[in-house]
Amino acid sequence: MCLMKTPYTLRFREEYIKKELLATELLSEWCRFPLEFSQKNMFYRCRQSKILRQLFNYSPFFIDLVEVNSDKPFEFMFKVHGKQVFLFFMLMGNMEFYDNSNRLIAHTLENNFLMSFYDSGLYNVKVGSGTHIALVITIHPEWLEKVSLEYRNIYRILEEFNKGTNPYQAMYQGKIDRNLHRWLGKVYNSQKQDIAVFDGFLRMYMALMLKHYDKLLDNHWLTFDIRQFIHENLTDENLGIDMLCEHFNLTKRALRYQFMQTFGENILTYCKNKRMELADQLMRAGNLTIAEVYMRVGYKEESTFRYHFNRYKP
């Protein structure tokens, strides 16, 4: 049986009271979506929270159906091992993802899904009280690179991530429509069967879901061009809302809305953070001072740059 390397591991800020393996026949008592084909069911019991993970590992996929039940707001961490690609389905509740500097990566909403890319590192998840259920499918990057040739939008995003320096990227968040619900139902209602048959079954439905997501990205392609334009003009002191609206013939409202819809981040915050990243790189590489750097990253005033840079956490 061909297994993927474990893409990530969970970590907790507080000592969990209990961690145990749960038998498959007991799943219906503990969760809303029991996976008959799961290979391992990990149950974590914290003081006022419970987490159940139903796991299936067969390359090129690592499936993790996570259910969090908590009496109060709860936070835990996950450590990503190597570059990973996730297809994330928020079936119930919502989750917020943050980097190690507490910058928001994505706020996933109920009945929504998205593709995200993470490099090695430690990341945080925050949930409110109640029940939160997510299906997380890790896709082997090499397999995705081969099949994404058929999906131009996903292929372009994957190329950017592999060549870029960003440690993570959360893409457009779309609704789980009727077709996706049907395909997901086929997956998590599957019975245990011959692994070769199940492998073909999974690949077929993953291809359908990737094709569906790629079509959704067609409507957001302009925003990728806007992001690329930002990357290429970070050193221009005129880079801002007005310049972007004029270049792409958009209203300010449309520009802000489309960028937030696609990347889940305010466009001005994104520009500022990219300039801070560039400034940090210049200062580390050339042993430069703030006074020597601020104009090189598009700032007109040293005091404004210093204010932002002192609050920047790489």
Side-chain angles (χ1 to χ4, degrees), residues 68-204:
V68 181
N69 289 284
S70 185
D71 296 332
K72 63 177 183 177
F74 180 60
E75 183 175 345
F76 59 95
M77 297 169 286
F78 64 102
K79 184 176 178 60
V80 176
H81 311 293
K83 285 195 171 186
Q84 304 293 345
V85 182
F86 302 112
L87 203 52
F88 188 96
F89 300 87
M90 197 74 231
L91 304 178
M92 182 178 292
N94 61 83
M95 294 182 178
E96 292 182 349
F97 295 83
Y98 293 83
D99 66 13
N100 213 24
S101 298
N102 207 36
R103 286 191 288 258
L104 180 66
I105 299 172
H107 180 191
T108 56
L109 304 175
E110 184 170 316
N111 201 41
N112 277 251
F113 78 112
L114 77 158
M115 179 173 281
S116 57
F117 303 80
Y118 287 82
D119 208 339
S120 298
L122 192 62
Y123 302 91
N124 301 303
V125 184
K126 297 179 183 180
V127 300
S129 58
T131 300
H132 310 271
I133 305 174
L135 177 66
V136 187
I137 303 177
T138 308
I139 307 171
H140 197 292
E142 290 183 5
W143 182 83
L144 182 60
E145 191 169 352
K146 291 178 183 178
V147 301
S148 65
L149 292 172
E150 303 175 27
Y151 316 123
R152 67 181 185 91
N153 297 324
I154 292 175
Y155 181 79
R156 177 174 170 180
I157 298 165
L158 185 61
E159 284 283 288
E160 286 182 5
F161 181 68
N162 286 334
K163 295 177 181 177
T165 58
N166 287 345
Y168 54 79
Q169 180 66 67
M171 304 311 302
Y172 170 69
Q173 188 171 168
K175 288 288 185 183
I176 304 177
D177 63 13
R178 185 178 301 177
N179 284 330
L180 277 172
H181 273 298
R182 185 173 71 251
W183 298 334
L184 288 172
K186 293 285 187 180
V187 172
Y188 52 68
N189 289 323
S190 299
Q191 304 295 314
K192 288 186 176 179
Q193 54 187 301
D194 179 83
I195 193 65
V197 174
F198 190 59
D199 176 58
F201 174 86
L202 271 181
R203 289 171 188 258
M204 178 182 70

Side-chain angles (χ1 to χ4, degrees), residues 24-25 35-41 189-195 198:
T24 302
E25 54 268 21
L35 294 182
E36 292 292 331
F37 60 85
S38 66
Q39 298 160 329
K40 183 188 294 185
N41 308 303
N189 289 323
S190 299
Q191 304 295 314
K192 288 186 176 179
Q193 54 187 301
D194 179 83
I195 193 65
F198 190 59

Side-chain angles (χ1 to χ4, degrees), residues 32-48:
R32 297 178 184 242
F33 301 100
L35 294 182
E36 292 292 331
F37 60 85
S38 66
Q39 298 160 329
K40 183 188 294 185
N41 308 303
M42 299 299 303
F43 185 65
Y44 306 83
R45 191 195 303 269
C46 303
R47 293 174 185 172
Q48 292 183 308

Side-chain angles (χ1 to χ4, degrees), residues 156 217-229 247-250 254-255 258-259 262-263:
R156 177 174 170 180
L217 292 176
D218 276 337
N219 299 325
H220 296 266
W221 201 244
L222 175 62
T223 328
F224 290 95
D225 291 333
I226 293 171
R227 187 179 67 175
Q228 185 61 35
F229 183 85
H247 186 84
F248 291 98
N249 195 28
L250 292 170
L255 176 68
Q258 289 188 29
F259 198 89
T262 305
F263 301 116

